[in-house]
Amino acid sequence: MEQKKESPLVGIVGLGLIGGSIGLDLQSLGWRVHGLVHRTKTADRAKARGLAQLVSTNPTILSKCDLIILAMPLREIINPSPELVDALPLNAVITDVGSVKSAVLSTWREIHPRFVGSHPMAGTAKSGVESGQNDLFKGRPWVTTPESKTDLEALTMINKLALTLGSNWITTDAESHDQAVGLISHLPVLISAALLSTVSKSGNPKIINLAKRLASSGFEDTTRVGGGNPKLGSSMASENRKEILIAIDQYRESLNQLEKSIINKEWEKLEAELLGMKRFRSRFLNSNNTN
Amino acid sequence: MEQKKESPLVGIVGLGLIGGSIGLDLQSLGWRVHGLVHRTKTADRAKARGLAQLVSTNPTILSKCDLIILAMPLREIINPSPELVDALPLNAVITDVGSVKSAVLSTWREIHPRFVGSHPMAGTAKSGVESGQNDLFKGRPWVTTPESKTDLEALTMINKLALTLGSNWITTDAESHDQAVGLISHLPVLISAALLSTVSKSGNPKIINLAKRLASSGFEDTTRVGGGNPKLGSSMASENRKEILIAIDQYRESLNQLEKSIINKEWEKLEAELLGMKRFRSRFLNSNNTN
């Protein structure tokens, strides 16, 4: 018979969209949560919103935690402050929420023996201490990137965390993760931003004003991710630089192929290519729904 | 005192998404509508769906019409059959719904003295005789591209049609229209399709399978227009070829600029560029809503 264990005491570093949402969900399930933030003002708002039972700007708030989730911006995860590192109990399990995993593991496998890399793939257009919400992770992928020497007990605890939040558990290696998100998450931000840049620079105010009046849901959809969080976009690019540069190269080649059909007036070929893409998209997103 | 005039008898050539939707709306407002389609089977479905009072595969059905709307696929509008041209009454007002205007005007200003180019900018993911729906044009732009010699009475009738359907009336010249839609409608289709192509060709099945499981709303949004109607995408490219090739060139330059920041590790510059795009998008789409 399975023994009912007490839930771990969880420390969350950073109570923005991801950290705050984890705090809300875990508490509503009866877990105990301590939150560490930078500024007193943020701590006050986090307390008022009930993002954690205890919120402090002092890292000692983590000293009794069994599980610590690094939910700071990506660059802070990769360059943690010495005060934070010193405050992490050696026997705690540590995970993060960064959207790039190779760079995070390079740093953290040296810092802490019980670190496990995570990337909960959920988001809204919001950020900051006011943005945390319940049920953000339900039905969304929670990618974990264990290595051969990863502590099994630590990995089991992250699994429990992900399933508790209602996420779909996915494990892979950090390099594959970074390649895949480079293609389906980081590259889209850049090609979408380049579209905005093209329109903004097109020069003729008459055309821009007309374009404004004619732009519809197609333009809105295609530019959504390019008009997202600039800090996140830039840090994705800096921390996943190698994979993104490869992806941009492949993308330019794909665009050149389509352009070639237009230059050569190969309309049937272009239609066949577009039909192939329509079918690919449908298969790609459908299999996503059933997984 | 204004005299109440009887509504014109409207002929619609092609009862797909646009033609069928116009037929439904006009009839529900008491207008009389005749529909011309290619195939008997389509005529039967159009009758069953009530897209027009009379539906036929015989062009003589247009002989008494005051206003005729060419709602065929773009390539058919630009290359109309001699039977259709012969069936158009000389005193009727003719308009079209094509998404490219210079090529349409080149053809039609020679064919008919009372032709006025239109582009009702509304759509759904659907096409064909089953796709017409009420209120498709409400609040959407109806672009008309009159020329100096355009018949004023004809233009007035198109204005009445557009306002009757609840559209926002916009007039511009054909070249400006084609430049603007090249940027905000045709270019997005191609850059979105190129993203699908990049992912589909990325080669490594392990990465593609992982990418499938991780793809979320961002990828879905960015690829939506690229996975749309292939025939429409190809005919937009063929009929707006010159503007699209210019737009692709400008786009590649924008992408190269972003790539350059990544190659040179200029992260603050990249963040500033992304912030600029975020602000541009917000202004661009907001002014759209208030126009």
Side-chain angles (χ1 to χ4, degrees):
Chain A
M1 212 173 131
E2 206 185 345
Q3 204 189 336
K4 176 102 183 162
K5 288 183 197 155
E6 207 190 334
S7 301
L9 174 61
V10 178
I12 304 180
V13 185
L15 292 169
L17 175 66
I18 301 293
S21 297
I22 294 175
L24 287 172
D25 273 359
L26 291 184
Q27 288 178 92
S28 69
L29 294 161
W31 293 39
R32 294 161 301 140
V33 177
H34 288 184
L36 173 65
V37 297
H38 276 306
R39 296 186 299 172
T40 312
K41 198 176 158 194
T42 312
D44 291 344
R45 284 302 305 152
K47 279 177 207 165
R49 294 201 63 219
L51 302 180
Q53 272 105 343
L54 285 179
V55 183
S56 174
T57 58
N58 187 335
T60 56
I61 198 168
L62 303 175
S63 63
K64 296 271 163 49
C65 291
D66 305 298
L67 166 62
I68 293 169
I69 302 167
L70 307 173
M72 310 93 85
L74 182 57
R75 280 182 197 157
E76 273 186 57
I77 296 175
I78 291 172
N79 305 294
S81 72
E83 296 72 32
L84 172 63
V85 171
D86 287 347
L88 299 174
L90 251 188
N91 62 338
V93 171
I94 319 287
T95 193
D96 75 314
V97 304
S99 55
V100 169
K101 296 268 65 82
S102 299
V104 169
L105 281 179
S106 296
T107 299
W108 280 90
R109 73 162 76 89
E110 308 301 327
I111 293 181
H112 199 284
R114 303 189 88 197
F115 181 82
V116 183
S118 291
H119 179 199
M121 296 193 68
T124 69
K126 297 175 186 167
S127 60
V129 70
E130 307 295 340
S131 64
Q133 60 180 65
N134 273 107
D135 295 330
L136 185 67
F137 306 98
K138 217 164 240 178
R140 305 287 316 135
W142 185 292
V143 189
T144 303
T145 54
E147 303 183 282
S148 42
K149 69 183 185 74
T150 295
D151 179 320
L152 175 60
E153 208 179 275
L155 185 59
T156 304
M157 191 180 272
I158 304 306
N159 174 257
K160 183 180 170 185
L161 170 70
L163 299 186
T164 297
L165 294 169
S167 291
N168 300 327
W169 178 249
I170 295 174
T171 59
T172 187
D173 59 287
E175 199 186 338
S176 298
H177 167 275
D178 291 354
Q179 277 184 42
V181 298
L183 280 173
I184 53 97
S185 172
H186 304 167
L187 179 62
V189 169
L190 294 168
I191 68 147
S192 174
L195 176 60
L196 286 165
S197 173
T198 306
V199 176
S200 77
K201 288 176 186 162
S202 77
N204 186 333
K206 179 182 171 188
I207 301 302
I208 296 201
N209 280 328
L210 181 61
K212 269 183 192 174
R213 302 186 69 188
L214 304 187
S216 71
S217 60
F219 186 77
E220 213 170 315
D221 286 346
T222 316
T223 57
R224 185 164 292 123
V225 297
N229 186 331
K231 200 177 281 295
L232 187 59
S234 171
S235 67
M236 280 172 172
S238 72
E239 305 314 334
N240 201 19
R241 180 170 174 275
K242 191 186 113 202
E243 299 302 342
I244 284 183
L245 287 175
I246 293 171
I248 292 177
D249 255 355
Q250 293 170 338
Y251 179 80
R252 191 165 23 226
E253 184 51 37
S254 295
L255 188 62
N256 289 351
Q257 283 297 111
L258 291 172
E259 186 191 34
K260 204 173 151 192
S261 297
I262 299 173
I263 289 174
N264 297 340
K265 303 188 182 181
E266 297 166 324
W267 308 122
E268 283 179 18
K269 186 178 168 199
L270 179 62
E271 187 178 326
E273 282 169 0
L274 293 174
L275 179 61
M277 292 310 101
K278 181 186 168 80
R279 288 181 176 155
F280 173 76
R281 180 176 189 270
S282 162
R283 285 197 309 275
F284 192 83
L285 294 175
N286 278 339
S287 69
N288 182 38
N289 293 340
T290 57
N291 262 320
Chain B
M1 209 173 132
E2 206 184 345
Q3 203 187 338
K4 174 100 182 161
K5 287 185 196 155
E6 206 191 334
S7 301
L9 173 61
V10 177
I12 305 179
V13 186
L15 292 169
L17 175 65
I18 302 294
S21 298
I22 294 174
L24 287 171
D25 272 0
L26 291 184
Q27 288 179 91
S28 68
L29 294 161
W31 292 39
R32 293 159 304 140
V33 177
H34 288 184
L36 173 64
V37 296
H38 275 305
R39 295 187 299 172
T40 312
K41 199 176 155 192
T42 311
D44 292 344
R45 284 303 305 153
K47 280 176 206 164
R49 294 200 64 218
L51 302 181
Q53 272 106 344
L54 285 178
V55 183
S56 174
T57 59
N58 187 335
T60 57
I61 198 168
L62 303 175
S63 63
K64 297 272 165 47
C65 291
D66 306 299
L67 165 62
I68 293 169
I69 302 166
L70 308 174
M72 311 92 85
L74 182 59
R75 279 183 196 155
E76 275 185 56
I77 297 175
I78 291 171
N79 305 293
S81 71
E83 296 72 33
L84 172 64
V85 172
D86 288 346
L88 300 173
L90 250 188
N91 61 339
V93 171
I94 318 288
T95 193
D96 75 313
V97 303
S99 55
V100 170
K101 297 269 64 80
S102 298
V104 168
L105 282 179
S106 297
T107 299
W108 281 91
R109 73 162 75 88
E110 307 301 326
I111 293 180
H112 199 283
R114 305 190 85 197
F115 181 82
V116 183
S118 290
H119 180 199
M121 296 194 68
T124 69
K126 297 175 185 168
S127 60
V129 69
E130 307 296 341
S131 63
Q133 61 180 64
N134 273 108
D135 296 329
L136 185 65
F137 307 99
K138 217 164 240 177
R140 305 289 313 137
W142 185 293
V143 189
T144 303
T145 54
E147 304 183 280
S148 42
K149 71 184 183 74
T150 295
D151 180 319
L152 175 60
E153 207 179 276
L155 185 59
T156 303
M157 190 180 273
I158 304 306
N159 174 256
K160 182 179 171 186
L161 171 69
L163 299 186
T164 296
L165 294 169
S167 290
N168 299 328
W169 178 250
I170 295 174
T171 58
T172 187
D173 60 288
E175 199 185 339
S176 297
H177 167 275
D178 291 354
Q179 278 183 41
V181 298
L183 280 172
I184 53 96
S185 173
H186 304 167
L187 179 62
V189 168
L190 294 168
I191 68 147
S192 174
L195 176 59
L196 286 165
S197 174
T198 306
V199 176
S200 77
K201 287 175 186 161
S202 77
N204 186 333
K206 180 182 170 188
I207 301 302
I208 295 202
N209 281 327
L210 181 60
K212 268 183 193 174
R213 300 186 71 189
L214 305 188
S216 71
S217 61
F219 186 78
E220 214 171 316
D221 286 346
T222 316
T223 58
R224 186 165 293 123
V225 298
N229 186 332
K231 200 178 280 295
L232 186 60
S234 171
S235 67
M236 280 172 171
S238 71
E239 306 314 333
N240 202 19
R241 181 171 174 273
K242 190 187 113 203
E243 300 302 341
I244 284 183
L245 288 176
I246 293 171
I248 291 177
D249 255 356
Q250 293 169 337
Y251 179 79
R252 191 165 22 225
E253 185 49 40
S254 295
L255 187 63
N256 289 350
Q257 283 297 111
L258 290 171
E259 185 190 35
K260 204 173 151 193
S261 297
I262 299 174
I263 289 174
N264 296 340
K265 304 188 181 182
E266 296 166 324
W267 308 122
E268 283 179 17
K269 187 178 169 201
L270 179 62
E271 188 178 326
E273 283 169 1
L274 293 174
L275 179 61
M277 293 309 103
K278 181 185 168 81
R279 288 180 176 156
F280 173 76
R281 180 175 188 269
S282 162
R283 285 197 310 273
F284 192 83
L285 294 175
N286 278 340
S287 68
N288 183 37
N289 294 340
T290 58
N291 263 319

